Amino acid sequence: MSECVKSQIKASVMAPIKTVILAAGKGTRMKSEKPKVLHEIFNKPLVSWVLSACEDANSLENIVIVGHKSEMVQDFVSKNHPKSICVEQKEQLGTGHAVSMAKSELNNFEGNVLILCGDTPLITSMSLKKFIEFHNKNDADVTVMSAILENPFGYGRIIRDEKNCVSEIVEQKDCNDLQKEVKEINAGMYCLNWQKVKGFFDSLQNNNSQNEYYLTDIIKWGNDNKLKVSGYVLENYDETLGINSRVQLAEAFKTMNDRHLNNLMENGVTIVSPENTQISPETEIGADTVIFPNTFINGKNKIGKNCKIGPFAHLRGDCVIEDNVKIGNFVELKKSYVKSYTNICHLSYVGDSEVGSNVNVGAGTITANYNSITKEKKKTIINDGASIGSNVVLVAPVELGEKAFIGAGSVITKDVGANALGLTRNPQREIKNYVK
Ligand code: UD1
Ligand code: CA
């Protein structure tokens, strides 16, 4: 038995962090043409949630191990996560084998390597930071993250000795009857002092019931090699949940949403009906804003204080809404900046737009931002105090000057100056006794 982690806490300097994310698995149970880790929650792939958590936990570089349809994952990662690279694992021979693919990339790295999975999008940067801090304070070489589950079936079990030190991990299929009773499971996340453990990846064995090269063997190997091995129990076990099926994908979506709604409410946002409201965790909302039912907010947005959003509003991302704005029913907003005290209250589409303050956007106003022949998107600019009548189409690119006034039913294709009236309506005709 190795020298177990001492209970006294040592002060330690924060070592640099790099991360390896295992994402080569096929995800058979998703029944999909798409690699599992590219399935989305709030428009963001599972692997991207994990990568964002690592970035926020100050990981210097993330190495994603890809296999099944690797080009698709590689393409996404290179476009969206500049600090990350992909390394291919051609054959999926096990989790230990997967990490060994990153060996040459990490070779001389003096620091800690986090090992995470690409299909656990609920893990937060806060928990990763605490995990790393625990590892550092204990001066550990290997720390495994665990959770206590009522139903541990299927997971690797954390086996502790009489001194409560982690002695090994035994996979479900390799467990004896006594081990099957253990409720502490391996969450599949590790923090490793790379220089101390890199030798493990040259000694991988596959003499187990699945003939796989198990990463979990690193615990016993560490103990046998007199390294300091420790276990960190994550209280909030739902952060460790992996996604293997569409049902679990929907559950993870709900968990992520509920978590964010609670957080918003704790910070002064009123959510009238949380069970009918979806708000991406990447959306910030100021205090005293009220979100009415059946509102769906996707992607990254910033909403100010004292706004009213919904019912039935749809924000599609990249929106900034200043304070005291009303976005009402059946309004869709995308990639737009809306300044304070503006109302867009009914049945409108506003995309690729800049809307000033104190603007009134009438019911049924549409910004026609997309040309489906040229595939181009163009901007609409509406300056402060403009007033737009009902059922107006603003054909972009177009700009309305300050306090411009647009008559109902107009199709505006040219700029309208400050204080001017823009009107494209045909004069009304009246044909006497037409019905007779
Ligand atoms: C693994 C752990 C188990 C733990 C569980 C937590 C091992 C041997 N077992 O089991 O102790 O309780 O995770 O969820 O590590 N992967 C690759 N390449 C491979 C094999 C796997 O990239 O060759 C990836 C998978 O895509 C997945 C992750 O590694 O993201 C975990 O692999 P999986 O086969 O799901 O491991 P489990 O059997 O769940
Ligand atoms: Ca798994």
Side-chain angles (χ1 to χ4, degrees):
M1 173 53 54
S2 81
E3 188 193 354
C4 181
V5 174
K6 300 282 189 298
S7 54
Q8 81 264 23
I9 283 169
K10 285 191 188 174
S12 72
V13 199
M14 283 293 263
I17 306 282
K18 289 192 177 188
T19 307
V20 175
I21 296 174
L22 307 185
K26 188 157 182 251
T28 315
R29 281 194 278 156
M30 294 300 284
K31 306 214 166 126
S32 176
E33 293 288 310
K34 214 161 52 170
K36 176 165 79 175
V37 294
L38 290 187
H39 283 266
E40 295 176 346
I41 296 181
F42 282 114
N43 257 6
K44 180 170 165 137
L46 303 180
V47 70
S48 189
W49 286 108
V50 180
L51 284 166
S52 294
C54 299
E55 288 157 8
D56 294 344
N58 305 316
S59 173
L60 298 175
E61 185 192 24
N62 308 308
I63 303 159
V64 185
I65 309 298
V66 294
H68 180 68
K69 301 222 168 137
S70 58
E71 337 67 56
M72 285 172 80
V73 184
Q74 214 146 357
D75 187 54
F76 173 83
V77 169
S78 65
K79 284 187 182 134
N80 295 279
H81 293 278
K83 280 188 191 169
S84 303
I85 59 158
C86 291
V87 174
E88 200 177 348
Q89 181 194 26
K90 288 213 168 65
E91 270 183 293
Q92 279 79 65
L93 301 177
T95 47
H97 179 257
V99 176
S100 74
M101 299 293 108
K103 241 172 36 184
S104 57
E105 191 62 35
L106 291 168
N107 194 22
N108 296 317
F109 176 61
E110 305 265 352
N112 290 319
V113 174
L114 271 182
I115 312 284
L116 305 176
C117 288
D119 62 355
T120 53
L122 296 168
I123 189 71
T124 62
S125 59
M126 184 98 85
S127 294
L128 291 179
K129 282 180 186 167
K130 284 188 192 156
F131 180 48
I132 296 163
E133 198 178 277
F134 177 90
H135 173 88
N136 283 332
K137 279 191 176 164
N138 279 313
D139 211 11
D141 299 314
V142 177
T143 305
V144 57
M145 191 188 283
S146 72
I148 313 291
L149 297 191
E150 249 340 283
N151 177 14
F153 183 83
Y155 288 94
R157 303 301 204 284
I158 303 284
I159 309 300
R160 291 183 183 258
D161 64 14
E162 59 290 345
K163 283 187 259 158
N164 205 32
C165 299
V166 180
S167 50
E168 60 178 330
I169 296 174
V170 183
E171 289 305 292
Q172 174 77 41
K173 287 180 181 152
D174 304 301
C175 276
N176 62 34
D177 287 344
L178 207 62
Q179 290 166 334
K180 280 180 190 157
E181 297 299 311
V182 173
K183 288 188 169 15
E184 184 177 7
I185 60 97
N186 169 22
M189 306 191 203
Y190 313 78
C191 188
L192 309 173
N193 176 333
W194 184 250
Q195 290 305 320
K196 293 276 188 68
V197 305
K198 67 180 188 182
F200 166 74
F201 297 97
D202 300 318
S203 68
L204 287 169
Q205 303 279 325
N206 67 349
N207 48 358
N208 50 57
S209 63
Q210 305 188 82
N211 292 115
E212 283 183 10
Y213 297 96
Y214 287 171
L215 176 57
T216 45
D217 288 347
I218 198 167
I219 303 296
K220 187 164 185 309
W221 180 90
N223 284 319
D224 292 347
N225 286 276
K226 307 269 178 277
L227 299 185
K228 285 190 181 174
V229 177
S230 73
Y232 175 79
V233 185
L234 188 73
E235 300 270 334
N236 197 2
Y237 74 88
D238 68 7
E239 288 190 31
T240 68
L241 295 179
I243 289 170
N244 299 302
S245 67
R246 308 268 179 167
V247 170
Q248 287 171 338
L249 183 67
E251 284 165 358
F253 175 91
K254 186 171 184 323
T255 305
M256 197 183 274
N257 187 47
D258 289 348
R259 198 155 79 184
H260 188 49
L261 296 186
N262 286 337
N263 192 16
L264 289 169
M265 289 188 277
E266 273 160 22
N267 285 293
V269 177
T270 294
I271 296 176
V272 174
S273 178
E275 57 279 20
N276 299 312
T277 303
Q278 290 82 24
I279 304 178
S280 154
E282 295 183 311
T283 293
E284 292 171 40
I285 305 182
D288 290 321
T289 284
V290 182
I291 310 289
F292 291 94
N294 295 301
T295 292
F296 191 95
I297 302 181
N298 230 336
K300 280 189 193 162
N301 306 279
K302 210 173 160 183
I303 299 173
K305 294 183 210 158
N306 210 29
C307 294
K308 288 188 162 54
I309 312 287
F312 293 98
H314 182 196
L315 269 63
R316 287 170 42 209
D318 300 315
C319 294
V320 179
I321 296 173
E322 290 187 350
D323 301 343
N324 300 296
V325 168
K326 281 190 203 157
I327 304 291
N329 42 205
F330 304 104
V331 172
E332 176 178 336
L333 220 65
K334 184 217 91 174
K335 214 175 182 179
S336 291
Y337 196 109
V338 181
K339 290 193 177 162
S340 58
Y341 292 101
T342 280
N343 296 337
I344 311 174
C345 288
H346 338 264
L347 304 153
S348 285
Y349 171 61
V350 175
D352 302 293
S353 299
E354 282 174 29
V355 185
S357 60
N358 291 294
V359 168
N360 189 62
V361 177
T365 296
I366 306 293
T367 57
N369 61 330
Y370 182 57
N371 182 325
S372 63
I373 295 171
T374 63
K375 310 265 184 245
E376 285 175 321
K377 288 192 180 126
K378 293 281 166 60
K379 275 189 89 162
T380 300
I381 299 172
I382 302 167
N383 286 292
D384 295 354
S387 181
I388 303 169
S390 296
N391 203 29
V392 166
V393 182
L394 301 169
V395 182
V398 73
E399 178 165 356
L400 309 184
E402 264 182 49
K403 293 194 176 164
F405 196 88
I406 308 299
S410 297
V411 177
I412 301 295
T413 52
K414 287 183 280 197
D415 293 355
V416 178
N419 297 301
L421 169 69
L423 188 67
T424 64
R425 202 188 294 155
N426 281 334
Q428 185 170 329
R429 285 198 295 163
E430 184 164 323
I431 303 171
K432 297 272 185 239
N433 294 319
Y434 175 78
V435 178
K436 276 192 189 161

